[in-house]
Each structure stands twice: as C-alpha cells, then as structure tokens.
Amino acid sequence: MFNSLTGIITGKYPQRLTLETNGIEWDLTVPDSALDKLPAVGQTGRVFTWLQHTDMAMVLFGFASEDDRSLFFDLLKVDGIGPKAALKIISNIATPDLARILDSGDIDSLQKVPGVGKKTAAKMLLQLKGKLTLQENDSTVRTGAKSTPYADVVSALVNMGYDRKVAEQAVEAVSNKVSQDPSFEKQTQANKEDLVFRQSLMELAQ
C-alpha cells in the first residue's frame, strides 16, 4: 500500500492536488489546510496518502503530514463521520487545535465546523477525547486520561445540554445493566463507551 508520494506539485485546487512522479500525474483529494502546508506549484513535495477502494470508485487521499493522516483515520472511527466529513473537519480545524478542543471538551468550537451538529460533536468527544497522540515540534501532545471508565460519556451528555447529576445517574444505571451481560466485558473500551452512550441517550429521552 502507498505510504506517501514525492514529486512535483502540478496543481492546487479546492480540496484537490495534482502531483507528478516519474511521468505519472496523480490526482489526490486533500484537506484545504494541506494546500497551504505543501510547497508551491512547480516545487517538490511529499504527500502522505490513503487509498479508498469501493465498488463504485477509487479515491486517493493526500495529507501534508502523518499527524493529519492519523487524525483523519481517528475521525473515521466516529459513528456518522465518513471520509468527506473527516476531510471537511481537518480543512476547518488545524490538527493540534482539534486535539486541544477535544481535550477541553469545547463542543461549541466543534459545532462551528460546517456539517458537525451537536450529536456528532458529542460523539467526537466521546470517542476521541483523551485518545489522540500527535507529534508536534518533536514533542508528544497527548490528551488527558479519564478519571472513571465512563467519565467521557457523562461529559458528552453534559455538553449536549443534560444536567450532570441526571447524566451520571443514567450512565450508572445503564453501565450496571449492560455489565451483567458476559459478552459486554469482552468488548473494547471504545465499544463499551459507545453502547453506554447510546443507551443512556435512550434512557434520558424517556
């Protein structure tokens, strides 16, 4: 699989970059932020890549750094965020800034991104807060650890407008219920949190 392409940048367009390597011109879909980070047209640049292969088409995505590509992969793990939405998020928020926004639970800043509503923002906080590791200026930027197994679930619900005490009670009730299922304990922490989050929402909607 391609890890990166190095060649002459032949064109820059909105969320699109063309690059020539040894007589082959590649057409890459890129976040708008990559256009500013990469060298000017006519200069040599390195683009980190990911190939999406579906029954309908193949799309080659490009990123200015490995951090941007890693963040793209992390965003794809969030329910409801596909490649186009992930690209739009990265285009509107710089990678280090997004890590800090998630770290601080700033749901308002997430909702400023076109196409990101309150529910998607809450899911991003739930699944990504405390889980991003980025390399910035040769130092690791690591988001904080959780105080309880479902603290992020409670925070996501609070950021959606629910009272913290009510959210804590709902999460506690749901987690106690689902933990009685032997198959629940075999799941990853991310899957457990997602299940508790969904069922807590249903509990609070009643």
Side-chain angles (χ1 to χ4, degrees):
M1 185 59 65
F2 304 114
N3 178 59
S4 67
L5 293 171
T6 299
I8 304 297
I9 295 174
T10 56
K12 288 184 175 184
Y13 315 92
Q15 293 194 358
R16 180 170 168 255
L17 179 87
T18 53
L19 180 143
E20 183 179 348
T21 62
N22 299 319
I24 299 175
E25 188 172 37
W26 302 86
D27 192 338
L28 301 102
T29 298
V30 301
D32 289 330
S33 55
L35 300 174
D36 295 327
K37 295 177 182 178
L38 290 167
V41 173
Q43 297 183 0
T44 299
R46 183 185 184 188
V47 183
F48 294 89
T49 59
W50 176 67
L51 178 65
Q52 181 192 37
H53 189 184
T54 66
D55 293 336
M56 300 298 294
M58 288 191 294
V59 180
L60 186 61
F61 289 85
F63 305 91
S65 69
E66 290 184 278
D67 272 351
D68 287 350
R69 183 175 62 181
S70 295
L71 176 59
F72 177 80
F73 291 153
D74 285 330
L75 289 170
L76 293 182
K77 298 175 184 176
V78 179
D79 184 32
I81 295 182
K84 289 184 178 180
L87 210 67
K88 186 178 293 186
I89 292 170
I90 297 175
S91 293
N92 283 272
I93 305 178
T95 299
D97 291 338
L98 182 56
R100 296 186 185 98
I101 287 172
L102 290 169
D103 225 8
S104 62
D106 186 359
I107 198 169
D108 291 333
S109 293
L110 291 177
Q111 290 184 85
K112 291 179 182 179
V113 178
V116 176
K118 181 176 287 188
K119 182 174 287 188
T120 299
K123 289 180 179 179
M124 289 174 64
L125 286 176
L126 173 64
Q127 294 186 234
L128 299 180
K129 181 180 179 182
K131 300 173 184 176
L132 296 181
T133 301
L134 306 174
Q135 298 296 323
E136 184 180 30
N137 298 325
D138 295 325
S139 62
T140 301
V141 179
R142 179 74 180 181
T143 54
K146 307 176 195 176
S147 56
T148 66
Y150 302 109
D152 284 351
V153 177
V154 173
S155 295
L157 293 172
V158 171
N159 285 325
M160 290 179 69
Y162 291 105
D163 178 78
R164 176 170 291 278
K165 185 175 181 180
V166 174
E168 289 175 345
Q169 291 174 344
V171 169
E172 182 179 4
V174 169
S175 61
N176 288 338
K177 180 180 178 181
V178 296
S179 62
Q180 296 176 14
D181 184 349
S183 63
F184 177 76
E185 294 303 323
K186 297 179 182 179
Q187 299 186 44
T188 64
Q189 181 63 23
N191 288 339
K192 289 179 181 178
E193 291 177 350
D194 186 58
L195 178 62
V196 171
F197 175 68
R198 292 172 182 273
Q199 294 200 14
S200 295
L201 274 178
M202 294 174 60
E203 183 79 16
L204 291 167
Q206 294 180 359

